[in-house]
Amino acid sequence: MSDTADSVRDEVRARYASAALSVTEAGRSSLLAPSASCCSTDTTDAPDSCCGPGAVDESAVFGSVLYGLDATAGLPGDAVLASLGCGNPTAVADLQAGETVLDLGSGGGIDVLLSARRVGPTGFAYGLDMTDEMLDLARRNAAAAQAENVEFLKGTIEEVPLPTESVDVVISNCVINLSTDKPAVLAEMFRVLRPGGRIGVSDVVAENHLTPAQRAERGSHVGCIAGALSIEEYETGLSRAGFEQVSVTLTHDVADGMHGALVRAVKPVVAD
C-alpha cells in the first residue's frame, strides 16, 4: 500500500474511532459536532475542506435520518446514533429468513442488527470493521439488543476474513467510497458470495462528467466525497469483478454532481 493510501486509511480510522467514542462518552451533541462529522452547515471553498462548493447540510443526507423511525424502532439508541451512512442498504437487499449476510464497514452495528432481524434465528449477520472503537460499540449494541445471530469481525474490506462462497448477501453503507483500492473490495465481495448471491450497497457516487479533481473540490476523502466512484466506474468495476444485473439508482443529492445511491448486483450461477 502506498504512503498516500496508508495516510487516507489512518485518517478514516481516526475519524470513525472519534465518532464511536463520541457516542459512548458524550452522546449525540458531540457526535454531530463539526469536528466529528464530515460537513457542517458552514461550508467553505477551501480545497482541503471537508465541504467544498455545492455541498449540502450533512445532517439531511447522512445518518439515521435515512432509515425512518419504523426501521430503527427497538434498536439500541447508541446503534442509531452511530449511524454515519448515506442510506439504508437493508431496505433493498431483500433479505430472507435463513440467509447469511456480511456488512462491510459495519460501524456501530445498525445494519447488522437490522439484517439479523430479517434473516431470523436460522440466519446470521457478520459485521466487518477495522476500527477497534466501533467494534467495541457494535458488540455492546448487539448485547443490548440480545442479538445472538451476529458476529463482528476485525479486518479491512479489501481483505475480508471469511471463506470463499460463505455468504448470501453483502451489504455496505457509505464505506466503499472510503477505500483506496476499490477493485480489491469489489473482488472480495464477489469471492465471499455464494453463486446466485447478491449485493445491496448504499454509497456516494459522482455524475460521470466529474473528474477526480472535481470530486475532491466538493469534499474530502474521509468525508465520503473525494473517493467516490462515478456511476459508470461503479458499473464497470462490478462487471469486471464478475457481477451481473448491475444497477446504480440515485436516491438523493449529497453535493453538486454527487449523489447517494443504491447499488445492486448478482453473482452469476455457473452452469454445470
Side-chain angles (χ1 to χ4, degrees), residues 58-109:
E58 180 188 87
S59 65
V61 296
F62 292 98
S64 60
V65 67
L66 300 173
Y67 288 82
L69 294 178
D70 289 344
T72 59
L75 291 182
D78 283 355
V80 178
L81 289 179
S83 173
L84 300 173
C86 54
N88 177 6
T90 62
V92 298
D94 191 28
L95 302 179
Q96 303 295 316
E99 290 187 318
T100 300
V101 184
L102 167 64
D103 180 18
L104 299 180
S106 49

CSV table of all heavy atoms in Angstrom, one decimal, residues 58-109:
chain,number,residue,atom,x,y,z
A,58,GLU,N,-25.0,18.1,5.9
A,58,GLU,CA,-24.8,16.6,6.1
A,58,GLU,C,-25.9,16.0,6.9
A,58,GLU,O,-26.2,14.8,6.6
A,58,GLU,CB,-23.4,16.4,6.8
A,58,GLU,CG,-23.1,15.0,7.0
A,58,GLU,CD,-21.9,14.8,7.9
A,58,GLU,OE1,-22.1,14.8,9.2
A,58,GLU,OE2,-20.8,14.6,7.4
A,59,SER,N,-26.5,16.7,7.8
A,59,SER,CA,-27.5,16.1,8.7
A,59,SER,C,-28.7,15.6,7.9
A,59,SER,O,-29.4,14.8,8.4
A,59,SER,CB,-27.9,17.1,9.8
A,59,SER,OG,-28.6,18.2,9.2
A,60,ALA,N,-28.9,16.1,6.7
A,60,ALA,CA,-30.0,15.7,5.9
A,60,ALA,C,-29.7,14.6,5.0
A,60,ALA,O,-30.6,14.0,4.4
A,60,ALA,CB,-30.6,16.9,5.1
A,61,VAL,N,-28.4,14.3,4.8
A,61,VAL,CA,-28.1,13.3,3.7
A,61,VAL,C,-27.2,12.1,4.3
A,61,VAL,O,-26.9,11.2,3.5
A,61,VAL,CB,-27.3,13.9,2.6
A,61,VAL,CG1,-28.2,14.9,1.9
A,61,VAL,CG2,-26.0,14.6,3.0
A,62,PHE,N,-26.8,12.2,5.6
A,62,PHE,CA,-26.1,11.1,6.2
A,62,PHE,C,-26.7,10.7,7.5
A,62,PHE,O,-27.3,11.6,8.2
A,62,PHE,CB,-24.6,11.5,6.4
A,62,PHE,CG,-23.8,11.6,5.2
A,62,PHE,CD1,-23.6,12.9,4.6
A,62,PHE,CD2,-23.2,10.6,4.5
A,62,PHE,CE1,-22.8,13.1,3.5
A,62,PHE,CE2,-22.5,10.7,3.4
A,62,PHE,CZ,-22.3,12.0,2.9
A,63,GLY,N,-26.6,9.5,7.9
A,63,GLY,CA,-27.0,9.1,9.3
A,63,GLY,C,-28.4,8.5,9.4
A,63,GLY,O,-29.0,8.1,8.4
A,64,SER,N,-28.9,8.4,10.6
A,64,SER,CA,-30.1,7.6,10.9
A,64,SER,C,-31.4,8.2,10.3
A,64,SER,O,-32.4,7.6,10.2
A,64,SER,CB,-30.3,7.5,12.4
A,64,SER,OG,-30.4,8.8,13.0
A,65,VAL,N,-31.3,9.5,9.9
A,65,VAL,CA,-32.5,10.2,9.3
A,65,VAL,C,-32.9,9.4,8.1
A,65,VAL,O,-34.1,9.5,7.7
A,65,VAL,CB,-32.2,11.6,9.0
A,65,VAL,CG1,-31.1,11.8,7.9
A,65,VAL,CG2,-33.4,12.4,8.6
A,66,LEU,N,-32.0,8.7,7.4
A,66,LEU,CA,-32.3,8.0,6.2
A,66,LEU,C,-33.0,6.6,6.4
A,66,LEU,O,-33.4,6.0,5.4
A,66,LEU,CB,-31.0,7.8,5.4
A,66,LEU,CG,-30.3,9.1,5.0
A,66,LEU,CD1,-29.0,8.8,4.3
A,66,LEU,CD2,-31.2,9.9,4.0
A,67,TYR,N,-33.2,6.2,7.6
A,67,TYR,CA,-33.9,5.0,7.9
A,67,TYR,C,-35.4,5.1,8.2
A,67,TYR,O,-36.2,4.3,7.8
A,67,TYR,CB,-33.2,4.3,9.2
A,67,TYR,CG,-31.8,3.7,8.9
A,67,TYR,CD1,-30.7,4.6,8.9
A,67,TYR,CD2,-31.7,2.4,8.6
A,67,TYR,CE1,-29.5,4.1,8.6
A,67,TYR,CE2,-30.4,1.9,8.3
A,67,TYR,CZ,-29.3,2.7,8.4
A,67,TYR,OH,-28.1,2.2,8.1
A,68,GLY,N,-35.7,6.1,8.9
A,68,GLY,CA,-37.1,6.2,9.4
A,68,GLY,C,-37.3,5.6,10.7
A,68,GLY,O,-36.6,4.6,11.1
A,69,LEU,N,-38.3,6.1,11.5
A,69,LEU,CA,-38.5,5.6,12.8
A,69,LEU,C,-38.9,4.1,12.9
A,69,LEU,O,-38.6,3.4,13.8
A,69,LEU,CB,-39.5,6.5,13.5
A,69,LEU,CG,-39.1,7.9,13.8
A,69,LEU,CD1,-40.2,8.7,14.4
A,69,LEU,CD2,-37.8,8.0,14.6
A,70,ASP,N,-39.7,3.7,11.9
A,70,ASP,CA,-40.2,2.3,11.9
A,70,ASP,C,-39.0,1.3,11.8
A,70,ASP,O,-39.0,0.3,12.5
A,70,ASP,CB,-41.2,2.1,10.8
A,70,ASP,CG,-42.5,2.8,11.0
A,70,ASP,OD1,-42.8,3.2,12.1
A,70,ASP,OD2,-43.2,2.9,10.0
A,71,ALA,N,-38.0,1.6,11.0
A,71,ALA,CA,-36.9,0.7,10.8
A,71,ALA,C,-36.0,0.6,12.0
A,71,ALA,O,-35.5,-0.4,12.3
A,71,ALA,CB,-36.1,1.2,9.6
A,72,THR,N,-35.9,1.7,12.8
A,72,THR,CA,-35.0,1.7,13.9
A,72,THR,C,-35.7,1.5,15.2
A,72,THR,O,-35.0,1.4,16.2
A,72,THR,CB,-34.2,3.1,14.0
A,72,THR,OG1,-35.2,4.1,14.1
A,72,THR,CG2,-33.4,3.3,12.7
A,73,ALA,N,-37.0,1.3,15.2
A,73,ALA,CA,-37.7,1.1,16.5
A,73,ALA,C,-37.2,-0.2,17.1
A,73,ALA,O,-37.0,-1.2,16.5
A,73,ALA,CB,-39.2,0.9,16.2
A,74,GLY,N,-36.9,-0.1,18.4
A,74,GLY,CA,-36.4,-1.2,19.2
A,74,GLY,C,-34.9,-1.5,19.2
A,74,GLY,O,-34.4,-2.3,19.9
A,75,LEU,N,-34.2,-0.7,18.3
A,75,LEU,CA,-32.7,-0.8,18.3
A,75,LEU,C,-32.1,0.0,19.5
A,75,LEU,O,-32.7,1.0,19.9
A,75,LEU,CB,-32.2,-0.3,17.0
A,75,LEU,CG,-32.4,-1.1,15.7
A,75,LEU,CD1,-31.7,-0.5,14.6
A,75,LEU,CD2,-32.0,-2.6,15.9
A,76,PRO,N,-31.0,-0.5,20.0
A,76,PRO,CA,-30.3,0.3,21.0
A,76,PRO,C,-30.0,1.8,20.5
A,76,PRO,O,-29.6,2.0,19.3
A,76,PRO,CB,-29.0,-0.4,21.2
A,76,PRO,CG,-29.3,-1.8,20.8
A,76,PRO,CD,-30.2,-1.7,19.7
A,77,GLY,N,-30.2,2.7,21.3
A,77,GLY,CA,-30.0,4.1,20.9
A,77,GLY,C,-28.6,4.4,20.4
A,77,GLY,O,-28.5,5.2,19.4
A,78,ASP,N,-27.6,3.8,21.0
A,78,ASP,CA,-26.2,4.0,20.5
A,78,ASP,C,-26.0,3.5,19.1
A,78,ASP,O,-25.2,4.1,18.4
A,78,ASP,CB,-25.2,3.4,21.5
A,78,ASP,CG,-25.1,4.2,22.8
A,78,ASP,OD1,-25.7,5.3,22.8
A,78,ASP,OD2,-24.3,3.7,23.7
A,79,ALA,N,-26.7,2.5,18.7
A,79,ALA,CA,-26.6,1.9,17.4
A,79,ALA,C,-27.1,2.9,16.4
A,79,ALA,O,-26.6,3.1,15.3
A,79,ALA,CB,-27.3,0.6,17.2
A,80,VAL,N,-28.2,3.6,16.7
A,80,VAL,CA,-28.9,4.6,15.9
A,80,VAL,C,-28.0,5.8,15.8
A,80,VAL,O,-27.7,6.4,14.7
A,80,VAL,CB,-30.3,4.9,16.3
A,80,VAL,CG1,-30.9,6.0,15.5
A,80,VAL,CG2,-31.1,3.6,16.4
A,81,LEU,N,-27.5,6.3,16.9
A,81,LEU,CA,-26.7,7.5,17.0
A,81,LEU,C,-25.4,7.3,16.2
A,81,LEU,O,-24.9,8.3,15.6
A,81,LEU,CB,-26.3,7.9,18.4
A,81,LEU,CG,-27.5,8.4,19.3
A,81,LEU,CD1,-27.0,8.7,20.7
A,81,LEU,CD2,-28.1,9.6,18.7
A,82,ALA,N,-24.9,6.1,16.2
A,82,ALA,CA,-23.6,5.9,15.5
A,82,ALA,C,-23.7,5.7,14.0
A,82,ALA,O,-22.7,5.5,13.3
A,82,ALA,CB,-22.9,4.6,16.1
A,83,SER,N,-24.9,5.8,13.5
A,83,SER,CA,-25.1,5.6,12.0
A,83,SER,C,-24.6,6.8,11.3
A,83,SER,O,-25.0,7.9,11.5
A,83,SER,CB,-26.6,5.4,11.7
A,83,SER,OG,-26.8,5.4,10.3
A,84,LEU,N,-23.6,6.6,10.4
A,84,LEU,CA,-23.0,7.6,9.6
A,84,LEU,C,-23.1,7.4,8.1
A,84,LEU,O,-22.4,8.0,7.3
A,84,LEU,CB,-21.5,7.8,10.0
A,84,LEU,CG,-21.2,8.1,11.5
A,84,LEU,CD1,-19.7,8.0,11.8
A,84,LEU,CD2,-21.8,9.5,11.9
A,85,GLY,N,-24.0,6.5,7.8
A,85,GLY,CA,-24.1,6.1,6.4
A,85,GLY,C,-24.9,7.0,5.5
A,85,GLY,O,-25.4,8.1,6.0
A,86,CYS,N,-25.1,6.7,4.3
A,86,CYS,CA,-25.8,7.5,3.3
A,86,CYS,C,-27.0,6.8,2.8
A,86,CYS,O,-27.5,7.2,1.7
A,86,CYS,CB,-24.9,7.9,2.2
A,86,CYS,SG,-24.1,6.5,1.3
A,87,GLY,N,-27.6,5.8,3.5
A,87,GLY,CA,-28.8,5.2,3.0
A,87,GLY,C,-29.1,4.0,4.0
A,87,GLY,O,-28.6,4.0,5.1
A,88,ASN,N,-30.0,3.2,3.5
A,88,ASN,CA,-30.4,2.0,4.3
A,88,ASN,C,-30.3,0.8,3.4
A,88,ASN,O,-31.3,0.4,2.7
A,88,ASN,CB,-31.9,2.2,4.8
A,88,ASN,CG,-32.4,1.0,5.5
A,88,ASN,OD1,-31.7,0.0,5.8
A,88,ASN,ND2,-33.7,1.0,5.9
A,89,PRO,N,-29.2,0.1,3.3
A,89,PRO,CA,-29.0,-1.0,2.4
A,89,PRO,C,-29.9,-2.2,2.7
A,89,PRO,O,-30.2,-2.9,1.8
A,89,PRO,CB,-27.5,-1.3,2.6
A,89,PRO,CG,-27.1,-0.8,3.9
A,89,PRO,CD,-27.9,0.4,4.1
A,90,THR,N,-30.3,-2.3,3.9
A,90,THR,CA,-31.1,-3.5,4.3
A,90,THR,C,-32.5,-3.3,3.6
A,90,THR,O,-33.2,-4.3,3.5
A,90,THR,CB,-31.3,-3.7,5.8
A,90,THR,OG1,-31.9,-2.5,6.3
A,90,THR,CG2,-29.9,-3.9,6.5
A,91,ALA,N,-32.9,-2.1,3.3
A,91,ALA,CA,-34.2,-1.9,2.7
A,91,ALA,C,-34.3,-2.4,1.2
A,91,ALA,O,-35.4,-2.7,0.7
A,91,ALA,CB,-34.6,-0.4,2.7
A,92,VAL,N,-33.1,-2.6,0.6
A,92,VAL,CA,-33.1,-3.1,-0.8
A,92,VAL,C,-32.4,-4.4,-1.0
A,92,VAL,O,-32.4,-4.9,-2.1
A,92,VAL,CB,-32.4,-2.0,-1.7
A,92,VAL,CG1,-33.1,-0.7,-1.7
A,92,VAL,CG2,-30.9,-1.9,-1.3
A,93,ALA,N,-31.9,-5.0,0.1
A,93,ALA,CA,-31.2,-6.2,-0.1
A,93,ALA,C,-32.1,-7.4,-0.1
A,93,ALA,O,-31.7,-8.6,-0.4
A,93,ALA,CB,-30.2,-6.4,1.1
A,94,ASP,N,-33.4,-7.2,0.1
A,94,ASP,CA,-34.4,-8.3,0.0
A,94,ASP,C,-34.0,-9.5,0.8
A,94,ASP,O,-33.9,-10.7,0.4
A,94,ASP,CB,-34.6,-8.7,-1.4
A,94,ASP,CG,-35.8,-9.6,-1.6
A,94,ASP,OD1,-36.8,-9.5,-0.8
A,94,ASP,OD2,-35.8,-10.4,-2.6
A,95,LEU,N,-33.6,-9.3,2.1
A,95,LEU,CA,-33.1,-10.4,3.0
A,95,LEU,C,-34.2,-11.4,3.3
A,95,LEU,O,-35.3,-11.0,3.6
A,95,LEU,CB,-32.5,-9.8,4.3
A,95,LEU,CG,-31.4,-8.8,4.1
A,95,LEU,CD1,-30.9,-8.3,5.4
A,95,LEU,CD2,-30.2,-9.4,3.3
A,96,GLN,N,-33.8,-12.7,3.3
A,96,GLN,CA,-34.8,-13.7,3.5
A,96,GLN,C,-34.3,-14.5,4.8
A,96,GLN,O,-33.1,-14.6,5.1
A,96,GLN,CB,-34.8,-14.7,2.3
A,96,GLN,CG,-35.2,-14.0,1.0
A,96,GLN,CD,-36.6,-13.4,1.0
A,96,GLN,OE1,-37.5,-14.1,1.5
A,96,GLN,NE2,-36.8,-12.2,0.6
A,97,ALA,N,-35.3,-15.2,5.4
A,97,ALA,CA,-35.0,-16.0,6.6
A,97,ALA,C,-34.0,-17.1,6.2
A,97,ALA,O,-34.1,-17.7,5.2
A,97,ALA,CB,-36.3,-16.6,7.1
A,98,GLY,N,-33.0,-17.2,7.1
A,98,GLY,CA,-32.0,-18.3,6.9
A,98,GLY,C,-30.8,-17.9,6.2
A,98,GLY,O,-29.8,-18.6,6.1
A,99,GLU,N,-30.7,-16.6,5.6
A,99,GLU,CA,-29.6,-16.2,4.8
A,99,GLU,C,-28.5,-15.7,5.7
A,99,GLU,O,-28.7,-15.3,6.9
A,99,GLU,CB,-30.0,-15.1,3.9
A,99,GLU,CG,-30.9,-15.6,2.7
A,99,GLU,CD,-31.1,-14.5,1.7
A,99,GLU,OE1,-31.4,-13.3,2.1
A,99,GLU,OE2,-31.1,-14.8,0.5
A,100,THR,N,-27.3,-15.7,5.2
A,100,THR,CA,-26.1,-15.2,5.8
A,100,THR,C,-25.7,-13.9,5.2
A,100,THR,O,-25.5,-13.9,3.9
A,100,THR,CB,-24.9,-16.2,5.7
A,100,THR,OG1,-25.3,-17.4,6.4
A,100,THR,CG2,-23.7,-15.6,6.4
A,101,VAL,N,-25.5,-12.9,6.0
A,101,VAL,CA,-25.3,-11.5,5.5
A,101,VAL,C,-23.9,-11.0,6.0
A,101,VAL,O,-23.6,-11.3,7.1
A,101,VAL,CB,-26.4,-10.6,5.9
A,101,VAL,CG1,-26.2,-9.2,5.3
A,101,VAL,CG2,-27.8,-11.1,5.6
A,102,LEU,N,-23.2,-10.3,5.2
A,102,LEU,CA,-22.0,-9.6,5.6
A,102,LEU,C,-22.1,-8.1,5.3
A,102,LEU,O,-22.5,-7.7,4.2
A,102,LEU,CB,-20.8,-10.1,4.7
A,102,LEU,CG,-19.5,-9.3,4.8
A,102,LEU,CD1,-18.9,-9.3,6.2
A,102,LEU,CD2,-18.5,-9.9,3.8
A,103,ASP,N,-21.9,-7.3,6.4
A,103,ASP,CA,-21.9,-5.9,6.2
A,103,ASP,C,-20.5,-5.3,6.2
A,103,ASP,O,-19.7,-5.5,7.2
A,103,ASP,CB,-22.7,-5.3,7.4
A,103,ASP,CG,-22.7,-3.7,7.4
A,103,ASP,OD1,-22.5,-3.2,6.3
A,103,ASP,OD2,-23.0,-3.1,8.4
A,104,LEU,N,-20.0,-4.7,5.1
A,104,LEU,CA,-18.7,-4.2,5.0
A,104,LEU,C,-18.6,-2.8,5.7
A,104,LEU,O,-19.4,-1.9,5.2
A,104,LEU,CB,-18.3,-4.1,3.6
A,104,LEU,CG,-18.2,-5.4,2.8
A,104,LEU,CD1,-17.8,-5.1,1.3
A,104,LEU,CD2,-17.3,-6.4,3.4
A,105,GLY,N,-17.8,-2.6,6.6
A,105,GLY,CA,-17.7,-1.3,7.4
A,105,GLY,C,-18.9,-1.2,8.3
A,105,GLY,O,-19.7,-0.2,8.1
A,106,SER,N,-19.0,-2.0,9.2
A,106,SER,CA,-20.3,-2.2,10.0
A,106,SER,C,-20.5,-1.1,11.1
A,106,SER,O,-21.6,-1.0,11.6
A,106,SER,CB,-20.4,-3.5,10.6
A,106,SER,OG,-19.2,-3.9,11.3
A,107,GLY,N,-19.4,-0.4,11.4
A,107,GLY,CA,-19.6,0.8,12.3
A,107,GLY,C,-20.2,0.3,13.7
A,107,GLY,O,-19.8,-0.7,14.3
A,108,GLY,N,-21.2,1.1,14.1
A,108,GLY,CA,-21.8,0.8,15.4
A,108,GLY,C,-22.8,-0.3,15.3
A,108,GLY,O,-23.4,-0.7,16.3
A,109,GLY,N,-23.0,-0.9,14.1
A,109,GLY,CA,-23.8,-2.2,14.0
A,109,GLY,C,-25.2,-2.1,13.6
A,109,GLY,O,-25.9,-3.1,13.6
